[in-house]
Amino acid sequence: MFDKTLAELAAGLRKGDFSSVELTSAYLERIKAEDGRYNSFITVTEEQALAQAKAADASIAAGDAGAFTGLPIAHKDLFCTQGVRTSCGSKMLDNFASPYDATVVAKFKQAGAVMLGKTNMDEFAMGSSNESSFYGAARNPWNTDCVPGGSSGGSGAAVAARLTPAATGSDTGGSIRQPAALCGITGLKPTYGRVSRYGMIAYASSLDQGGPMAHTAEDCAMMLNVMAGFDPMDSTCLNREVPDYTATLNEPLAGLKIGLPKEYFSDALDPQIAERVKAAVAEFEKLGATVKEVSLPRTELSIPAYYIIAPAEASSNLSRFDGVRYGYRCTDPKDLEDMYKRSRGEGFGAEVKRRIMVGTYALCAGYYDAYYNKAQQIRRLIQQDFVRVLEDVDVIMGPTTPHPAFRIGEKNNDPVSMYMEDIFTLSLNLAGLPGMSVPCGQVNGLPVGMQIIGNYFAEAKLLNIAHQFQQVTDHHKQAPAGI
Amino acid sequence: MEWEVVIGLEIHVQLSTTTKIFSGASTAFGAEPNTQACAVDLALPGTLPVFNENALRMAVMFGLAVDAEIGKRSVFERKNYFYPDLPKGYQTTQLAEPIVGPGHVDIETDDGVKRRVRIHHAHLEEDAGKSLHEDFHGMTGIDLNRAGTPLVEIVSEPDMRSSKEAAAYARKIHAIVTTLGICDGNMAEGSMRCDCNVSVRPKGQEEFGTRTELKNINSFRFIERAIDTEVARQIDLIEDGGKVVQETRLYDPDKNETRSMRSKEDANDYRYFPCPDLLPVIIDDSYIEAIRDTLPELPDARRARFIDEYGLSEYDAGVLSGYRAQADYYEQVAKACSDAKLAANWVMGELAKHLNQHDTDIKESPVNAEQLGGLLVRIKDNTISGNIAKKVFELMWSKGGSADEIIEAEGLKQVTDTGAIEKIVDDVIANAGKQVEQYKAAEPDKRGKMLGFFMGQVMKATGGKANPGAVTGILKQKLDALCD
């Protein structure tokens, strides 16, 4: 049962092979038994999950079930869930139970999904390893000494460990795609504005985007069908028709034009990953695609640009965590300033503080032009590079990460080397483009991912391409040893 | 040395939208603390702003009313600072690209100084909540009902040269925003608040002196007093060899003094940057022109019409057109009694006096325009005298009811029956031998002045109800007859 995809589970529920309560109970039991090894959940919502499963079974029995009714999923712990702790991986919000549901959470509820719990993550989504979580690092099911990636590391680990068939994630600089790659699952970062950000605790507002993480492209399509769409509560969410992403999965790929950016195959890339990606590209050629080399000359600049813009926005977004209205407040504050300083000083972890300081600095009156404005200029150039290349090819393919999962603690004292892990993913967020990570093999027993980048709102095309790849390969079916 | 005063004003106007600028919560004043603050106003994690288009429409109305350039692209920015009643830790406001660009208004002080005051720009922003320092035993209470109320901040150029001009400018802005119906104009509730930038320089000097900013003044009278106090302080300081320090000061109306709040060195670096949660606001000519078509008659135009149509003096027309509710009231009274000047005298006289004494807005006047018009009709048709009318008005104010009801109930109808008046006049003359002798002894051209005494006696005897014209005629006739 735990190897089944969402699509297969949905079919089983419809046929009556098992009930949602049985399915849900099985996953809850499995989480209880196994998650001690992975630390992928921060909160398990057993009672609520069983109630939702019961309601789903009733609706299946009554014949008014939808495609998602009764399917269990988990939410990254930055999606606000009514009445349930929403910690964002931080001590700051350890005591915070949201009084409302994020739009994404509400949509899954409405679709009849069952929420198993909330998954671990880097504190406030700041990190590429899940090590900055207040609840401790989540572990990679392929090797529990290794990181699952981040910031949606808990979602990646939970899906890879078969503790949930699918989970939501959010991606600000690679936070869906990188853990998907490192955990051997499939993840999609949609076009900026495709999925509502309302109720998804902001890290960097102009870059954040929620998306699905699952075993297959088909499952991601099922999830995106639920998640995507206009939300009047989010001014940056676009009012644009949502196609049925499952309807075009089987379009043939003959004539597909693939671009391989030469900058993505530089010395920084593990040569074994380069090989796996090139082998995957060869599969597409067999399916009728043509391949050419393209250039994204400002790829390297995406790191400095990102690490100005994201911290700048974060420094402002995280100002609301002041100990006044909710969240952590220090004990016995002497006065207002003391309350601010100690609540924030004690409530935030090191990486969050680092980014708040960097962002605050970058926005200071004397430095604004040199940093923030310059970074925005670079951002526009990076976007123009993509637009230019995507006039020439249908999709861009390359590695998701330069290396497979690294060991827990390995990069703790070297934040810049950690930031370099996001070199291939960051630029999409800067450009607002959609991208997927699809398993394309293993290196030294650890999974690696191939990234597929498309034009704005080309999610259906990306899912179609990934699905076709998964019809002729079995990388996505591999499970960690012992699972 | 002769000094010149230089003043620029920043006026915050609360827009009278029903919901907040970035959330759906109500903006009504006076609710229980924190009952009108929704998840967005509380800045709960994950919440996002959505711009209220009504606030945009109102800001554009203001821009058009002051002949300003309208920003076809305006951008919300975040002004970052920590304060307990600022829930997000930043205020969403506009800086580089405001909705209203340069404009101007023309002002006139009550001593006749006319000046054009340029408006640098006006921008949209959200109000903060309130910190309540009383009743919390050493703690501070936070009320976020006001958080997110839409404001237009109107920034003038430093074009004013006296406290009177500053007050006249503030009154003009008040008149415009109330006429447009975009602000209720209630200054006591903080619907319009004023920061005054004040400096002095030797007359003739071009360079500005160092300015101080007087924060949050909420009445026209206090604007004048605060500026006068601050100007005197600055001049004393400079003449004593000191230097004005650039700082923010608070005006204390009880002590009539200004006190330092914070100096420039304490000033925050607000780290403005465009708010990534809100898209730039893009509007086109057709949007702007559609709003222009809805503009009501503005105070300057109304003033001109009052002079033209009703024959009012410039001063009366200026006062009456200065506040929309008052101008509307006046026009209703004028129409009801068909006497524009009589209506003007009463609205600016007896009514204004009562409104002031009871600290009541004209919109809440217990005597409405129709009722006042009804009273004035009775003056015009000689049912009552002007003096009796004041008495009737007093009763209308305190007890309510129409003029006719009160005249009837109190028996105040004027006596115009000459037979009855003659009888009373005869009695008065019979009982005033001494005064009659004095009258007779006086030079004929001085006698007119002496009628007053007799007049008073007659009025006393009739309870003021005798028609004064008739009484004068009869008195004169009878007294003069005695002199022959």
Side-chain angles (χ1 to χ4, degrees):
Chain A
M1 179 189 275
F2 300 117
D3 267 331
K4 284 190 165 41
T5 64
L6 280 178
E8 290 161 353
L9 293 173
L13 282 171
R14 267 194 299 275
K15 278 195 293 180
D17 293 351
F18 41 80
S19 69
S20 177
V21 168
E22 285 166 342
L23 183 62
T24 302
S25 305
Y27 274 106
L28 288 170
E29 286 306 314
R30 185 169 167 75
I31 293 168
K32 233 180 261 177
E34 302 289 332
D35 198 36
R37 288 158 64 193
Y38 313 117
N39 194 27
S40 65
F41 279 84
I42 290 173
T43 304
V44 179
T45 48
E46 182 170 352
E47 216 171 290
Q48 181 179 322
L50 289 170
Q52 286 175 337
K54 214 170 149 188
D57 284 334
S59 130
I60 291 167
D64 57 7
F68 226 94
T69 305
L71 292 177
I73 56 159
H75 286 303
K76 184 176 183 180
D77 206 20
L78 51 48
F79 287 100
C80 285
T81 42
Q82 190 171 358
V84 173
R85 174 171 61 184
T86 302
S87 75
C88 226
S90 181
K91 180 180 179 185
M92 185 58 90
L93 291 178
D94 182 47
N95 65 1
F96 177 69
S98 173
Y100 76 102
D101 276 331
T103 299
V104 162
V105 171
K107 280 176 175 247
F108 273 113
K109 265 191 190 168
Q110 209 167 10
V114 172
M115 180 176 82
L116 296 172
K118 310 288 297 287
T119 57
N120 203 348
M121 56 181 286
D122 278 297
E123 185 180 8
F124 284 100
M126 297 178 187
S128 314
S129 69
N130 215 293
E131 290 167 289
S132 73
S133 170
F134 171 62
Y135 301 92
R139 290 168 181 273
N140 193 320
W142 292 82
N143 178 343
T144 51
D145 290 335
C146 288
V147 303
S151 63
S152 312
S155 291
V159 173
R162 274 66 174 171
L163 304 181
T164 176
T168 55
S170 71
D171 191 314
T172 306
S175 286
I176 287 175
R177 292 160 289 157
Q178 187 248 17
L182 269 41
C183 292
I185 65 168
T186 305
L188 167 65
K189 179 202 103 68
T191 307
Y192 183 79
R194 178 76 288 186
V195 172
S196 169
R197 293 188 296 117
Y198 191 77
M200 191 178 90
I201 299 176
Y203 159 24
S205 312
S206 75
L207 303 163
D208 296 343
Q209 187 64 200
M213 299 172 78
H215 290 296
T216 65
E218 184 182 20
D219 287 0
C220 287
M222 284 176 69
M223 289 178 78
L224 194 59
N225 274 350
V226 176
M227 296 172 84
F230 177 62
D231 179 5
M233 299 296 278
D234 176 0
S235 311
T236 62
C237 191
L238 284 135
N239 195 350
R240 193 183 161 110
E241 205 190 329
V242 180
D244 176 355
Y245 293 105
T246 59
T248 47
L249 291 172
N250 289 311
E251 300 283 311
L253 298 187
L256 180 75
K257 286 185 271 181
I258 298 170
L260 299 181
K262 60 180 181 202
E263 293 81 3
Y264 283 25
F265 295 88
S266 69
D267 294 347
L269 177 63
D270 182 328
Q272 293 191 74
I273 295 184
E275 267 175 44
R276 303 292 178 278
V277 172
K278 283 184 175 153
V281 171
E283 291 293 336
F284 286 105
E285 286 181 297
K286 283 191 225 162
L287 293 169
T290 58
V291 178
K292 69 183 281 191
E293 188 184 83
V294 295
S295 176
L296 294 167
R298 283 133 180 150
T299 297
E300 277 196 5
L301 290 179
S302 63
I303 291 185
Y306 176 89
Y307 279 100
I308 295 296
I309 293 167
E313 293 181 8
S315 72
S316 175
N317 283 335
L318 270 60
S319 292
R320 66 185 60 194
F321 305 108
D322 56 6
V324 174
R325 296 167 314 287
Y326 50 76
Y328 179 77
R329 182 190 286 186
C330 68
T331 49
D332 299 325
K334 280 205 311 278
D335 53 25
L336 179 63
E337 195 171 318
D338 184 48
M339 184 178 93
Y340 280 151
K341 284 184 174 167
R342 285 204 289 122
S343 296
R344 288 170 65 80
E346 295 162 16
F348 288 137
E351 185 61 28
V352 171
K353 287 183 206 167
R354 179 181 294 131
R355 295 196 195 190
I356 289 174
M357 282 189 278
V358 167
T360 302
Y361 186 83
L363 289 175
C364 280
Y367 304 114
Y368 183 86
D369 284 335
Y371 294 116
Y372 187 78
N373 257 352
K374 186 65 83 182
Q376 290 288 17
Q377 284 165 8
I378 292 170
R379 180 180 192 169
R380 277 188 289 277
L381 293 174
I382 287 170
Q383 187 211 5
Q384 286 163 16
D385 283 352
F386 275 112
V387 168
R388 184 178 43 75
V389 168
L390 287 168
E391 277 168 5
D392 202 24
V393 297
D394 298 317
V395 289
I396 296 165
M397 290 186 186
T400 306
T401 62
H403 305 104
F406 47 91
R407 299 183 90 76
I408 291 172
E410 186 183 326
K411 292 179 191 285
N412 273 1
N413 297 319
D414 188 358
V416 174
S417 142
M418 180 98 83
Y419 298 167
M420 291 300 287
E421 289 302 301
D422 297 330
I423 176 123
F424 304 132
T425 48
L426 292 178
S427 49
L428 268 75
N429 299 79
L430 292 169
L433 289 165
M436 282 190 81
S437 181
V438 181
C440 69
Q442 292 177 20
V443 171
N444 307 329
L446 291 168
V448 294
M450 171 180 59
Q451 187 173 210
I452 313 172
I453 302 162
N455 220 323
Y456 296 104
F457 297 100
E459 287 82 3
K461 188 82 218 161
L462 295 182
L463 289 161
N464 164 220
I465 292 166
H467 180 70
Q468 290 305 303
F469 180 71
Q470 291 178 339
Q471 298 309 296
V472 296
T473 59
D474 62 359
H475 305 301
H476 61 290
K477 291 184 179 162
Q478 306 306 311
I483 291 177
Chain B
M1 188 184 298
E2 228 192 309
W3 295 93
E4 182 175 53
V5 180
V6 176
I7 303 161
L9 259 50
E10 290 163 24
I11 299 180
H12 290 86
V13 171
Q14 277 186 350
L15 296 177
S16 48
T17 54
T18 48
T19 58
K20 293 183 177 177
I21 185 167
F22 299 121
S23 83
S26 166
T27 54
F29 180 84
E32 283 294 301
N34 298 311
T35 55
Q36 289 180 171
C38 67
V40 175
D41 305 322
L42 293 169
L44 287 183
T47 56
L48 296 170
V50 177
F51 182 38
N52 180 346
E53 201 222 323
N54 234 350
L56 172 68
R57 195 178 54 77
M58 290 181 178
V60 171
M61 284 174 85
F62 175 77
L64 292 172
V66 297
D67 205 15
E69 292 167 24
I70 304 299
K72 290 191 183 153
R73 176 192 151 95
S74 53
V75 174
F76 284 105
E77 305 205 27
R78 293 184 182 177
K79 179 182 183 179
N80 294 284
Y81 63 99
F82 286 99
Y83 206 71
D85 59 24
L86 187 73
K88 295 190 295 293
Y90 55 82
Q91 181 193 31
T92 309
T93 178
Q94 298 181 322
L95 182 72
E97 296 175 84
I99 180 66
V100 175
H104 59 83
V105 294
D106 294 319
I107 59 160
E108 184 175 349
T109 62
D110 47 20
D111 44 19
V113 178
K114 292 186 182 180
R115 192 182 293 283
R116 170 159 288 190
V117 177
R118 291 167 301 155
I119 288 169
H120 179 272
H121 77 273
H123 61 260
L124 277 163
E125 62 185 23
E126 58 184 338
D127 211 340
K130 280 180 185 165
S131 295
L132 309 166
H133 299 290
E134 284 157 29
D135 307 329
F136 291 96
H137 314 290
M139 294 187 288
T140 298
I142 306 293
D143 177 7
L144 295 175
N145 282 351
R146 198 180 68 177
T149 298
L151 298 175
V152 164
E153 181 175 341
I154 304 155
V155 181
S156 84
E157 296 283 359
D159 285 352
M160 288 149 276
R161 294 293 175 265
S162 72
S163 61
K164 279 191 188 313
E165 289 180 25
Y169 167 77
R171 281 198 178 90
K172 181 48 95 44
I173 296 293
H174 187 266
I176 290 170
V177 296
T178 54
T179 299
L180 292 172
I182 62 173
C183 175
D184 66 19
N186 190 328
M187 297 182 73
E189 290 176 2
S191 297
M192 190 170 136
R193 313 190 292 271
C194 205
D195 299 341
C196 307
N197 286 290
V198 180
S199 66
V200 298
R201 62 182 172 189
K203 203 147 202 160
Q205 179 182 305
E206 218 166 282
E207 197 189 326
F208 290 131
T210 304
R211 69 167 189 273
T212 58
E213 185 179 12
L214 308 174
K215 273 275 179 208
N216 262 336
I217 303 174
N218 67 352
S219 89
F220 301 124
R221 195 157 44 99
F222 287 166
I223 289 174
E224 270 193 69
R225 284 174 52 189
I227 292 173
D228 287 341
T229 307
E230 176 60 13
V231 164
R233 187 191 71 88
Q234 289 188 12
I235 291 174
D236 283 350
L237 189 65
I238 298 169
E239 288 184 344
D240 289 347
K243 263 191 175 163
V244 176
V245 181
Q246 188 175 336
E247 62 184 355
T248 303
R249 297 179 72 83
L250 197 69
Y251 175 65
D252 180 343
D254 296 330
K255 295 184 182 156
N256 195 34
E257 63 177 29
T258 67
R259 279 197 300 275
S260 180
M261 255 173 87
R262 56 172 184 264
S263 75
K264 197 187 171 192
E265 284 75 45
D266 302 332
N268 278 305
D269 178 350
Y270 291 118
R271 307 189 312 282
Y272 283 94
F273 76 107
C275 179
D277 289 327
L278 290 161
L279 303 174
V281 181
I282 311 286
I283 53 176
D284 59 14
D285 284 323
S286 68
Y287 182 86
I288 296 168
E289 291 314 309
I291 290 174
R292 196 193 298 277
D293 290 342
T294 67
L295 290 186
E297 186 183 28
L298 291 165
D300 283 351
R302 200 165 200 183
R303 178 171 182 260
R305 183 166 61 78
F306 280 5
I307 294 168
D308 196 46
E309 192 176 320
Y310 299 130
L312 299 185
S313 72
E314 284 200 3
Y315 178 79
D316 289 0
V319 171
L320 288 171
S321 62
Y323 176 39
R324 184 184 184 175
Q326 187 182 31
D328 290 344
Y329 188 107
Y330 162 70
E331 287 211 80
Q332 258 183 286
V333 176
K335 203 174 146 199
C337 73
S338 321
D339 188 331
K341 282 183 186 159
L342 183 66
N345 289 341
W346 273 78
V347 171
M348 293 170 63
E350 210 58 21
L351 176 68
K353 191 176 91 187
H354 279 74
L355 291 172
N356 271 341
Q357 276 168 359
H358 296 89
D359 194 22
T360 305
D361 188 274
I362 195 160
K363 282 181 279 190
E364 268 83 52
S365 169
V367 180
N368 68 31
E370 205 179 310
Q371 289 170 329
L372 179 56
L375 174 65
L376 303 192
V377 166
R378 293 293 165 251
I379 299 177
K380 284 181 64 79
D381 68 10
N382 281 330
T383 306
I384 53 172
S385 68
N387 271 332
I388 290 290
K390 286 183 186 172
K391 196 168 163 187
V392 175
F393 181 81
E394 187 69 52
L395 290 166
M396 289 166 78
W397 180 280
S398 57
K399 293 186 177 153
S402 74
D404 285 349
E405 284 162 6
I406 289 168
I407 291 167
E408 185 60 41
E410 304 285 324
L412 294 172
K413 212 168 206 173
Q414 187 158 255
V415 181
T416 45
D417 172 357
T418 41
I421 294 173
E422 273 186 49
K423 190 172 174 304
I424 295 162
V425 168
D426 285 342
D427 286 351
V428 166
I429 290 176
N431 290 318
K434 190 173 151 213
Q435 283 80 5
V436 172
E437 286 312 310
Q438 286 169 354
Y439 188 91
K440 281 158 79 174
E443 296 289 322
D445 61 333
K446 300 259 172 69
R447 285 175 185 161
K449 280 187 183 169
M450 301 180 73
L451 275 179
F453 166 76
F454 299 100
M455 186 81 189
Q457 294 297 309
V458 175
M459 285 300 172
K460 200 168 156 190
T462 60
K465 287 183 290 181
N467 181 313
V471 176
T472 310
I474 292 167
L475 263 175
K476 209 162 160 3
Q477 181 206 334
K478 295 213 178 234
L479 285 167
D480 288 349
L482 292 172
C483 299
D484 295 336

